[in-house]
Amino acid sequence: MHNLKTEGLPVHVAIIMDGNGRWAKLQGLPRAQGHAIGIDSVREIVTATRDLNIPYLTLYAFSKENWSRPKEEVKILLKLLGYYLEMELPLMMEKGIRFNLLGEISDFPKRLQTQLLDVMDRTGKNRDLLLNIALSYSGRREILHVVSAMIEDAKQGLIKKIDERTFSKYLYTKNMPDPDLLIRTSGEMRLSNFLLWQMAYTEIYVTHTLWPDFRKDQYMEALTEFSKRERRFGGIKEN
Ligand code: FPP
């Protein structure tokens, strides 16, 4: 079937999981059902990533802007998040998956904060896959946080040089490689405020498939396409 060589695989995959609402509408179901089935896609993609030995996966689950969705929908998304954390913890432990949050944890209800911290703590020593889930995340805010923290440290004489390396150390993604591949489902051609600093040289793959339908086969197609891309990082073609 799919015959991808490890050397053609990305080290870090980022995904904008889009289209749950449209998927539900097409099936004549409430939007919440789209999100619920979207969790099955999350499980399948996380497992496939781990099985392919790709060490970093970052999923955009909830943006800072998503708080402005109708109250009921926000409530359902938070409930699903709590459910996901509870249900997936055994799989994370079994598969060596470390869970990490990118975003502003203080925006969440106290109980969910405790649960998020607990899962990060329990999975903290797992080393096979680092699963970042972006929650209440905004790329511009992240950059502003970096700037404020750097100013504070600079005042105390802790910063010698302002360069890309130093800056990267203040991001949520410190000590991680930048994403090699960004996958966006449901056809939208936007970055939507996701990992703005980190994705300077990321290859972008957009598919019309809606997130609840994005499963292992669709993922393999994206990875195969990525393996054919020639990356230049602003340089010229090498022979
Ligand atoms: C985009 O679909 C999806 C989201 C805003 C939420 C993503 C959430 C999940 C996949 C489930 C929860 C995930 C975890 C990890 C617990 P949309 O609602 O914007 O769809 P639309 O653009 O078709 O309306």
Side-chain angles (χ1 to χ4, degrees), residues 17-23 31 35 38-39 42 59-62 66 69 73 77 80-81 84 133 186 188 211:
M17 309 183 287
D18 198 7
N20 293 347
R22 272 161 285 174
W23 184 90
R31 287 179 63 83
H35 297 312
I39 289 202
V42 170
L59 302 178
Y60 203 2
F62 196 85
N66 284 154
R69 288 196 175 196
E73 186 171 350
L77 281 167
L80 282 173
L81 174 62
Y84 173 81
I133 302 209
S186 94
E188 241 67 72
W211 179 251

Side-chain angles (χ1 to χ4, degrees), residues 41 45 183 185 207 209-216 218-219 222:
S41 295
I45 298 310
I183 297 171
T185 58
T207 171
T209 305
L210 305 172
W211 179 251
D213 288 331
F214 191 85
R215 300 300 170 102
K216 189 165 179 202
Q218 290 71 25
Y219 191 33

Side-chain angles (χ1 to χ4, degrees), residues 50 53-56 92-93 95-99 120-131:
R50 164 67 188 85
N53 290 317
I54 294 172
Y56 299 90
M92 290 185 202
M93 297 315 289
K95 295 226 165 227
I97 298 168
R98 180 175 155 213
F99 170 80
M120 278 193 271
D121 186 50
R122 284 176 194 239
T123 61
K125 290 201 170 71
N126 293 344
R127 287 288 172 266
D128 294 320
L129 168 65
L130 178 54
L131 171 64

Side-chain angles (χ1 to χ4, degrees), residues 7 19 69 138 155 179 231:
E7 63 258 38
R69 288 196 175 196
S138 146
K155 278 188 202 156
R231 305 188 70 197

Side-chain angles (χ1 to χ4, degrees), residues 38-226:
I39 289 202
D40 294 339
S41 295
V42 170
R43 182 181 307 111
E44 197 165 318
I45 298 310
V46 169
T47 306
T49 306
R50 164 67 188 85
D51 293 345
L52 287 161
N53 290 317
I54 294 172
Y56 299 90
L57 175 66
T58 301
L59 302 178
Y60 203 2
F62 196 85
S63 70
K64 193 91 185 165
E65 293 74 27
N66 284 154
W67 290 110
S68 66
R69 288 196 175 196
K71 248 196 180 138
E72 264 315 298
E73 186 171 350
V74 170
K75 219 169 124 185
I76 284 163
L77 281 167
L78 296 185
K79 209 167 149 187
L80 282 173
L81 174 62
Y83 164 83
Y84 173 81
L85 292 171
E86 193 180 324
M87 296 302 287
E88 299 307 300
L89 183 60
L91 183 82
M92 290 185 202
M93 297 315 289
E94 183 198 318
K95 295 226 165 227
I97 298 168
R98 180 175 155 213
F99 170 80
N100 182 47
L101 175 124
L102 305 187
E104 299 187 14
I105 192 167
S106 56
D107 288 345
F108 290 91
K110 266 272 162 322
R111 250 186 70 191
L112 204 49
Q113 288 187 33
T114 310
Q115 199 183 358
L116 286 162
L117 290 171
D118 182 57
V119 177
M120 278 193 271
D121 186 50
R122 284 176 194 239
T123 61
K125 290 201 170 71
N126 293 344
R127 287 288 172 266
D128 294 320
L129 168 65
L130 178 54
L131 171 64
N132 292 312
I133 302 209
L135 293 164
S136 197
Y137 176 85
S138 146
R140 286 188 172 176
R141 290 255 186 160
E142 181 180 25
I143 289 171
L144 288 178
H145 281 311
V146 170
V147 173
S148 318
M150 284 180 82
I151 290 173
E152 281 313 306
D153 282 357
K155 278 188 202 156
Q156 296 180 45
L158 296 170
I159 293 182
K160 291 190 191 74
K161 209 167 143 194
I162 294 181
D163 58 10
E164 292 184 14
R165 248 177 89 97
T166 313
F167 191 96
S168 298
K169 282 189 196 143
Y170 285 82
L171 291 162
Y172 292 129
T173 50
K174 56 179 168 285
N175 304 323
M176 302 177 202
D178 290 336
D180 305 291
L181 170 64
L182 168 70
I183 297 171
R184 180 162 191 155
T185 58
S186 94
E188 241 67 72
M189 301 279 187
R190 287 190 285 276
L191 281 185
S192 298
N193 209 359
F194 191 35
L195 303 174
L196 295 180
W197 172 277
Q198 296 89 333
M199 295 212 288
Y201 290 103
T202 300
E203 294 290 326
I204 302 176
Y205 175 90
V206 175
T207 171
H208 283 281
T209 305
L210 305 172
W211 179 251
D213 288 331
F214 191 85
R215 300 300 170 102
K216 189 165 179 202
D217 280 352
Q218 290 71 25
Y219 191 33
M220 295 311 288
E221 266 176 47
L223 295 172
T224 304
E225 156 84 22
F226 171 81

